[in-house]
Amino acid sequence: MKPHGIPGTILFDGDQAQKGLALNRMCFSFNSAANRNAFVADEDAYCAKYGLNQEQREAVKSRNVLKLLAAGGNVYYLAKLAGIFGLNVQDIGAQQTGMSIDAFKAKLEAAGR
């Protein structure tokens, strides 16, 4: 990853797009309910079908959004995968901030959101 002006964040640039192509293609396939069902039925086979590398596969297995982003995932495509995992926006925000879900919700409420 190249350094940029926002510490702790991953800039999705051309290099990240190339790095995450297989992962993002797989996530795009989840626009189809049949593909979501195929992923749930056999996650390893589905990931292999799209040629995910070891880093991407481990990120998917861990259900960790930060690792998925580091593996080249684009947040718009990853939303499809997060939905399959049953993660909502608050779950993702908690992961990104390193907070518990309850602490993250409390932070949002305190900020008036």
Side-chain angles (χ1 to χ4, degrees):
M1 273 179 272
K2 291 183 263 184
H4 57 88
I6 307 172
T9 62
I10 299 165
L11 179 66
F12 189 80
D13 59 8
D15 291 338
Q16 280 297 99
Q18 287 186 331
K19 180 180 180 181
L21 183 60
L23 175 61
N24 293 317
R25 275 188 180 155
M26 182 182 81
C27 291
F28 182 76
S29 77
F30 297 142
N31 285 322
S32 159
N35 290 339
R36 293 190 298 271
N37 292 336
F39 175 84
V40 170
D42 191 344
E43 185 176 316
D44 286 328
Y46 203 84
C47 289
K49 175 181 172 183
Y50 280 88
L52 270 61
N53 64 30
Q54 188 63 33
E55 177 188 15
Q56 293 165 337
R57 188 63 195 104
E58 289 300 319
V60 170
K61 280 185 179 179
S62 70
R63 276 44 174 169
N64 184 300
V65 174
L66 295 178
K67 289 181 180 179
L68 289 163
L69 291 170
N74 177 293
V75 70
Y76 296 106
Y77 295 119
L78 293 179
K80 299 286 184 186
L81 188 58
I84 292 172
F85 296 156
L87 299 173
N88 62 36
V89 174
Q90 292 175 347
D91 295 320
I92 294 169
Q95 283 188 21
Q96 289 181 309
T97 58
M99 303 172 82
S100 71
I101 295 169
D102 289 337
F104 185 71
K105 287 179 182 178
K107 179 182 176 183
L108 292 178
E109 288 174 4
R113 295 180 186 165

